[in-house]
């Protein structure tokens, strides 16, 4: 996809705002899978801030405000203590920073599992406070009733099956799913349940490749893979993982950059300049008019 944004240079500071371009909608995303095939794979990345959203927007079909922000932004040990307030604040920032991508916001742990009614209250708050187009929630067959409840009430839902990080304690870790026959069958049953319940798309995370392919082929909604298969209908990664922000990442991450090294080098150079008083220099200073 080419970048067609025109930069509005009147905008202050370093955040030129691209001119509005039509935002992708849920039906448009869903129709990218036609007769069981997706010619043009869907591109999704996570974003948690307005500036990151601005930079990613033209290159993505969807931006996911993932609850991975718990670890990436807040330094939490897992996603379990992420709150609705966090998701609403970051979701609103990402919607403000984007014009083109469909924005999906994760429902945090504890905000939807109790009942479809609880899920509706949380999802409607997320949608009204952020302006996002859809929410994502984890779980397959057990969440089918909730997905149907939300979808029938105007809340587009993206499912999330396979390795579901909010269930880390029950799963016993973040290992790939599908190594036993029971898990294999559960993943396929979850995919079918999520699709039948009315989700417009789903994420399949950390599943053995043949199962990911079978799940993708078994449903008529897009399956977005992460640690799944290139034959899914699209892919998602945590942007900071993709940029090389962390030393340790899951096997399924491909690093496209080494941003942590660049940040460290810049910080080291800045510290040196401050200490030897070469910053600020003449270009950064204001002098009285002559
Ligand atoms: O929270 C998140 O970022 C996610 C993606 C990894 C799919 O759920």
């Amino acid at each position: 996809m080419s970048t067609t944004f025109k930069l509005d240079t009147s905008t202050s500071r370093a955040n030129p705002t691209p001119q509005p371009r039509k935002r992708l909608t849920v039906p448009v995303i869903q129709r990218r899978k036609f007769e069981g095939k997706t010619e043009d794979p869907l591109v999704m990345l996570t974003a948690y801030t307005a500036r990151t959203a601005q930079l990613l927007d033209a290159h993505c079909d969807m931006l996911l405000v993932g609850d991975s922000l718990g670890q990436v932004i807040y330094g939490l040990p897992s996603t379990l203590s992420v709150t609705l307030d966090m998701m609403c604040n970051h979701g609103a920032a990402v919607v403000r920073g984007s014009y083109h991508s469909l924005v999906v916001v994760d429902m945090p742990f504890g905000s939807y599992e109790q009942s479809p009614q609880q899920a509706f209250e949380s999802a409607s708050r997320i949608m009204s406070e952020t302006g996002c187009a859809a929410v994502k929630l984890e779980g397959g067959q057990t969440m089918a009733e909730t997905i149907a409840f939300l979808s029938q009430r105007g809340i587009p839902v993206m499912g999330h099956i396979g390795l579901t990080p909010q269930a880390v304690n029950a799963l016993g870790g973040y290992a790939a799913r599908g190594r036993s026959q029971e898990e294999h069958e559960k993943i396929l049953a979850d995919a079918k349940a999520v699709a039948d319940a009315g989700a417009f798309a789903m994420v399949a995370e950390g599943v053995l490749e043949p199962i990911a392919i079978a799940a993708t082929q078994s449903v008529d909604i897009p399956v977005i893979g992460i640690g799944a298969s290139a034959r899914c209908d699209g892919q998602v990664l945590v942007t900071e993982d993709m940029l090389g922000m962390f030393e340790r990442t899951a096997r399924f991450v491909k690093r496209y950059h080494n941003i942590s090294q660049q940040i460290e080098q810049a910080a080291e150079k800045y510290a040196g300049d401050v200490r030897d008083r070469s910053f600020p220099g003449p270009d950064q200073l204001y002098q009285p008019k002559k």
Side-chain angles (χ1 to χ4, degrees):
M1 184 191 303
S2 64
T3 306
T4 58
F5 291 171
K6 271 206 240 144
L7 296 182
D8 172 5
T9 47
S10 66
T11 311
S12 67
R13 291 180 65 86
N15 296 341
T17 307
Q19 291 220 325
R21 199 169 85 165
K22 212 164 182 272
R23 201 185 276 281
L24 295 174
T25 61
V26 164
V28 166
I29 295 289
Q30 201 171 345
R31 282 200 300 269
R32 288 271 288 272
K33 185 165 184 173
F34 182 64
E35 293 180 348
K37 287 205 175 62
T38 305
E39 292 293 327
D40 191 11
L42 289 155
V43 179
M44 181 157 87
L45 280 170
T46 60
Y48 317 122
T49 66
R51 184 59 182 144
T52 303
Q54 286 173 334
L55 295 172
L56 303 180
D57 192 30
H59 308 284
C60 291
D61 299 302
M62 290 184 277
L63 292 174
L64 172 66
V65 187
D67 61 354
S68 50
L69 62 76
Q71 288 121 311
V72 176
I73 301 280
Y74 291 92
L76 296 168
S78 73
T79 56
L80 295 184
S81 39
V82 170
T83 63
L84 264 177
D85 283 347
M86 290 177 187
M87 297 313 299
C88 286
N89 288 338
H90 289 275
V94 168
V95 170
R96 281 196 293 272
S98 60
Y99 290 89
H100 164 67
S101 303
L102 182 117
V103 178
V104 182
V105 177
D106 255 341
M107 299 192 68
F109 178 66
S111 73
Y112 63 96
E113 300 89 334
Q114 205 177 343
S115 65
Q117 287 76 11
Q118 184 210 20
F120 184 85
E121 268 180 39
S122 303
S124 57
R125 180 178 160 204
I126 290 174
M127 294 194 72
S128 66
E129 288 188 17
T130 68
C132 72
V135 296
K136 177 166 83 57
L137 57 83
E138 296 184 8
Q141 295 160 94
T142 47
M143 281 299 136
E145 189 192 346
T146 296
I147 294 172
F149 192 88
L150 298 183
S151 307
Q152 288 159 14
R153 286 162 180 77
I155 299 183
V157 179
M158 175 177 278
H160 186 151
I161 62 163
L163 170 57
T164 46
Q166 291 175 8
V168 61
N169 289 307
L171 299 177
Y174 295 103
R177 311 299 298 165
R179 294 200 186 277
S180 68
Q181 188 58 27
E182 191 190 344
E183 276 179 21
H184 180 142
E185 283 164 17
K186 180 179 182 315
I187 293 164
L188 294 182
D190 281 346
K192 186 173 175 340
V194 167
D196 289 350
F200 77 97
M202 77 184 85
V203 166
E205 177 169 356
V207 294
L208 300 195
E209 188 183 22
I211 307 175
I213 295 170
T216 303
Q217 288 171 349
S218 72
V219 295
D220 58 7
I221 60 170
V223 175
I224 313 298
I226 172 165
S229 170
R231 284 164 64 186
C232 288
D233 302 300
Q235 303 295 325
V236 60
L237 278 179
V238 169
T239 296
E240 284 75 0
D241 286 344
M242 182 274 285
L243 291 175
M245 185 72 151
F246 299 107
E247 274 160 28
R248 279 185 49 224
T249 51
R251 172 192 166 85
F252 56 69
V253 171
K254 179 170 174 185
R255 291 177 200 205
Y256 289 83
H257 201 55
N258 193 345
I259 203 170
S260 59
Q261 201 179 57
Q262 295 210 322
I263 292 173
E264 280 185 336
Q265 283 169 355
E268 190 183 351
K269 186 141 190 1
Y270 167 74
D273 286 358
V274 170
R275 291 187 180 117
D276 70 14
R277 298 192 190 278
S278 58
F279 174 81
D283 290 349
Q284 290 92 37
L285 294 173
Y286 303 95
Q287 301 297 346
K289 282 203 177 97
K290 289 194 180 127

